[in-house]
Amino acid sequence: MNRKLCAPADRARSWESIDWKKAEAYVKKLQMRIVKAQKDGHYSKVKTLQWLLTHSFYAKALAVKRVTSNKGKNTAGVDHELWKTPKGKFEAIDKLKRRGYKPQPLRRVYIPKKNGKLRPLNIPTMTDRAMQTLYKFALEPLAETLADPNSYGFRIGRSTHDAIGQCFNDLCRAGSPQWILEGDIKGCFDHISHSWLMKNIPMDKEMLEKWLKCGFVETRKIFPTEEGTPQGGTISPVLMNMTLDGLERILKERFPMRRTVAGKTIYDQINFVRYADDFIVTGKSPETLRNEVMPLIKDFLAERGLQLSEEKTVITHISDGFDFLGQNIRKYNGKLLIKPSKNAVKAFLKKVRTIVKENKTATQDLLIRKLNPVIRGWVNYHRYVVSADIFGLVDHRIFECLWKWACRRHKRKGRKWIANKYWHHIDNRTWTFAAEPAFRGKDFDEKYLKLEYAANTKIIRFKKITAEANPFDKKWTGYYEERDGERMLNSTKGREKLVKIWNNQKRCCPVCGERITSETGFKTHFITENNRKWPAIMVHPWCHRNLHEPDYLI
């Protein structure tokens, strides 16, 4: 066996001594070889490379790092075990062995849905999460290679904005289809057929069966799992995507760009866009969608143990508009406009009002610190569509809410006094909700801490990803690097110095060595040494916490 492909001979002796850049490069190289072997039709080589990847030290170390640096790192499974110390994480690497591995039952909890119902969430143990992540490294290259071109959910480098961009491309022209089938799969994660997964997922079948049949614990009782993939497992999104992949190809084969029926040429204008288990299908007429497309989709899903949700699957005309991924897509007098949906605006304002009501006695600067991340996140999500008017409306509603908050605190004061205390003339805005901060970070030099205003955000056009792009294919490497740069520019608009720092660091975090992207997010950190303040560096948010909080360990 080629020694270059095996675990490194000079293996790290501690968590801190692991070379993460080398680990990332090693895993990425094997993943790219898996894609090349798959495209060349060398399927036995694909299995060999998958085995090498799932047994390598670097892949195991990265799997442990992923599950100990994400949002669920403080959520334990049924064994109540967490990996918080460097020693615990390093010892966890040796636990990731296929021989003798037996997953423990999932811990079931329930989280509320928007419609008031509860969604079951299954939480694996840390060991099971790391094992799933390890095998996800080997499965994901194949999932990307075999995926539908216009599938955008749970995929590297793809987002809801890409799905919305594809909707615009399919519907914006004068001759575009006018009818849309809005599809929703009922309990997608919970009802996928185990037998179908065992027959069609190209991975270690023994490991897959163990995860599918491990059961779950609820009210101190163990229940078997006869269908579905665990919603909460790290490999589940990949399994779900692979289950639904192929639907677009079948639709294209059944409804080509042009077909002849009874001597007549028919243009069905069938287009397909999917994000996770939500999808739309466009068509020239409602009859085609109802009588031909829907039966085809139902048969496709039934083979996989799934079915459409009757209450959420509807056929809509483009002039009436439809909501998809938080946006409303509609034609006004023949012109397609995409705006934030009414439900999205309503939910956002409800969240803002809740924060304000829960902080009736809080200081102004604390309230601003709580509101700014919420406002900034919502605005950045909707900045790529026609949202200028909505942003102005949102600012007005937030102002009304904050005015009531201020008046409630000073019932005996006049309006002018209240306005002068809480609102200031800053830059071009006369009414700026701002306060002098109670504490200042090293990178905060301004006099006032200001509230984020949606109307200050510039509306820009999102550049949709190329449908055929594959992050594990060598020929697309340059494309993804260029795209990451453009997305970072958009997320740091008006802060060109940050982009320069990012490029000087070779787009990597100096603390952990992994890449900084718009998806990972970033923080600026100033180094102070001998009372001298050095230029800022860009680091991941979790690395930034590690630098400022000695007790917080990566």
Side-chain angles (χ1 to χ4, degrees):
M1 187 180 293
N2 191 346
R3 292 190 63 183
K4 291 183 179 179
L5 293 175
C6 299
D10 55 340
R11 217 179 86 162
R13 302 300 177 187
S14 67
W15 183 258
E16 295 89 345
S17 64
I18 298 175
D19 187 340
W20 294 112
K21 286 185 180 179
K22 193 174 181 180
E24 288 276 1
Y26 178 84
V27 172
K28 187 66 177 287
K29 185 176 181 180
L30 275 179
Q31 289 175 322
M32 294 174 81
R33 292 187 63 187
I34 289 173
V35 170
K36 186 176 186 302
Q38 176 69 24
K39 286 190 170 184
D40 293 341
H42 300 156
Y43 304 120
S44 59
K45 188 175 181 180
V46 169
K47 292 182 179 180
T48 301
L49 291 169
Q50 284 183 314
W51 189 94
L52 287 169
L53 183 54
T54 54
H55 288 74
S56 73
F57 170 79
Y58 280 145
K60 291 178 180 180
L62 275 177
V64 172
K65 186 176 183 182
R66 293 283 167 88
V67 300
T68 55
S69 60
N70 60 19
K71 293 181 180 179
K73 64 181 181 294
N74 295 320
T75 305
V78 293
D79 60 354
H80 305 292
E81 182 182 359
L82 292 175
W83 300 332
K84 289 191 172 183
T85 64
K87 182 182 178 182
K89 294 173 186 177
F90 191 72
E91 291 174 351
I93 297 174
D94 286 332
K95 295 180 181 178
L96 307 185
K97 295 178 180 178
R98 184 181 184 278
R99 180 178 294 179
Y101 169 72
K102 185 179 179 181
Q104 297 190 57
L106 307 161
R107 181 166 70 91
R108 172 159 287 192
V109 297
Y110 291 89
I111 56 176
K113 297 170 67 175
K114 291 181 180 179
N115 58 8
K117 297 180 181 179
L118 295 176
R119 183 195 304 276
L121 185 67
N122 299 310
I123 303 174
T125 63
M126 294 295 287
T127 302
D128 294 337
R129 267 178 269 174
M131 283 295 282
Q132 289 186 24
T133 303
L134 177 63
Y135 279 82
K136 178 186 173 184
F137 289 154
L139 181 61
E140 208 165 23
L142 295 179
E144 287 290 337
T145 306
L146 303 172
D148 285 338
N150 289 308
S151 162
Y152 298 98
F154 302 121
R155 294 182 62 187
I156 296 173
R158 300 187 180 219
S159 66
T160 55
H161 306 303
D162 294 296
I164 294 297
Q166 184 61 36
C167 291
F168 180 84
N169 293 341
D170 291 339
L171 298 166
C172 66
R173 292 176 291 275
S176 295
Q178 302 293 305
W179 294 90
I180 298 93
L181 169 67
E182 303 172 59
D184 184 87
I185 301 170
K186 188 176 182 179
C188 184
F189 279 98
D190 301 326
H191 300 295
I192 298 175
S193 167
H194 284 184
S195 60
W196 189 92
L197 289 172
M198 293 298 297
K199 290 177 184 176
N200 294 278
I201 300 299
M203 66 169 289
D204 190 320
K205 304 297 184 185
E206 185 178 333
M207 296 296 290
L208 177 60
E209 185 176 20
K210 286 180 178 180
W211 289 324
L212 295 177
K213 302 296 184 182
C214 66
F216 65 90
V217 174
E218 187 177 10
T219 61
R220 297 186 179 183
K221 295 181 181 179
I222 298 180
F223 297 89
T225 47
E226 301 298 336
E227 60 180 3
T229 60
Q231 219 175 138
T234 56
I235 202 171
S236 296
V238 181
L239 296 177
M240 185 272 293
N241 265 337
M242 297 192 78
T243 302
L244 298 180
D245 284 333
L247 180 54
E248 182 179 3
R249 183 179 64 253
I250 290 174
L251 287 172
K252 292 295 182 184
E253 290 174 355
R254 176 67 178 80
F255 304 98
M257 294 288 291
R258 180 175 60 185
R259 62 187 177 121
T260 304
V261 178
K264 294 183 179 180
T265 301
I266 297 177
Y267 299 88
D268 294 303
Q269 297 181 316
I270 300 296
N271 297 298
F272 178 84
V273 181
R274 179 171 68 84
Y275 188 91
D277 58 345
D278 294 327
F279 64 88
I280 66 158
V281 183
T282 68
K284 189 176 181 180
S285 67
E287 291 77 19
T288 301
L289 294 174
R290 185 180 299 107
N291 301 329
E292 298 186 59
V293 173
M294 278 189 67
L296 192 66
I297 294 174
K298 287 180 178 179
D299 291 342
F300 176 88
L301 295 177
E303 184 184 349
R304 291 153 174 78
L306 302 171
Q307 58 181 337
L308 288 174
S309 172
E310 297 294 338
E311 58 182 20
K312 295 182 181 179
T313 302
V314 295
I315 297 175
T316 313
H317 194 271
I318 191 61
S319 61
D320 297 324
F322 64 98
D323 291 348
F324 188 54
L325 303 176
Q327 313 291 8
N328 179 261
I329 305 172
R330 181 180 173 185
K331 270 190 176 179
Y332 298 83
N333 297 323
K335 184 175 182 179
L336 185 71
L337 295 180
I338 303 177
K339 303 178 181 180
S341 68
K342 290 182 179 179
N343 288 336
V345 175
K346 186 178 179 180
F348 167 67
L349 291 176
K350 182 180 179 181
K351 188 173 184 179
V352 169
R353 290 177 182 127
T354 301
I355 293 173
V356 174
K357 287 179 181 178
E358 290 176 350
N359 291 273
K360 293 178 181 179
T361 60
T363 59
Q364 186 183 9
D365 72 308
L366 180 60
L367 179 61
I368 292 172
R369 291 181 193 275
K370 287 181 177 289
L371 287 175
N372 275 352
V374 176
I375 297 171
R376 191 183 302 118
W378 190 84
V379 169
N380 284 339
Y381 181 82
H382 293 284
R383 69 184 300 194
Y384 302 107
V385 296
V386 184
S387 49
D389 291 342
I390 299 293
F391 284 175
L393 174 65
V394 162
D395 283 341
H396 181 66
R397 293 287 182 259
I398 294 175
F399 168 79
E400 291 177 337
C401 184
L402 293 174
W403 180 259
K404 291 178 181 178
W405 174 86
C407 291
R408 190 187 300 116
R409 295 163 69 92
H410 306 282
K411 295 180 179 179
R412 298 184 180 181
K413 298 291 184 180
R415 291 187 173 189
K416 189 173 182 180
W417 186 93
I418 294 173
N420 290 334
K421 179 174 176 60
Y422 292 104
W423 280 267
H424 305 275
H425 190 164
I426 301 175
D427 298 329
N428 295 327
R429 184 180 286 276
T430 306
W431 288 70
T432 302
F433 192 73
E436 292 189 14
F439 63 92
R440 296 174 182 271
K442 294 179 179 179
D443 55 349
F444 190 86
D445 298 323
E446 298 182 9
K447 180 180 179 182
Y448 289 107
L449 176 67
K450 298 175 289 187
L451 183 75
E452 293 275 350
Y453 283 92
N456 290 347
T457 302
K458 185 179 179 182
I459 308 299
I460 58 177
R461 181 71 179 269
F462 185 83
K463 187 175 180 181
K464 194 190 84 68
I465 193 170
T466 301
E468 294 77 21
N470 185 339
F472 301 109
D473 193 335
K474 191 174 182 179
K475 72 175 184 178
W476 292 99
T477 301
Y479 172 80
Y480 275 94
E481 288 181 355
E482 182 181 348
R483 184 171 172 80
D484 283 344
E486 290 178 355
R487 294 180 70 178
M488 279 294 289
L489 273 173
N490 290 336
S491 64
T492 58
K493 211 69 176 177
R495 296 179 286 176
E496 285 72 17
K497 288 183 180 179
L498 289 179
V499 178
K500 187 176 181 180
I501 293 171
W502 182 60
N503 285 321
N504 288 340
Q505 295 176 185
K506 297 183 179 179
R507 304 184 176 187
C508 293
C509 173
V511 177
C512 67
E514 292 192 35
R515 292 183 69 84
I516 296 175
T517 66
S518 58
E519 294 177 351
T520 64
F522 63 90
K523 293 283 187 180
T524 53
H525 176 71
F526 288 88
I527 303 172
T528 305
E529 190 176 309
N530 298 328
N531 295 323
R532 182 179 177 184
K533 195 174 184 180
W534 296 89
I537 58 174
M538 287 177 68
V539 296
H540 291 121
W542 51 90
C543 295
H544 190 254
R545 288 195 296 270
N546 182 45
L547 290 170
H548 284 281
E549 302 173 24
D551 294 333
Y552 179 88
L553 297 169
I554 295 178

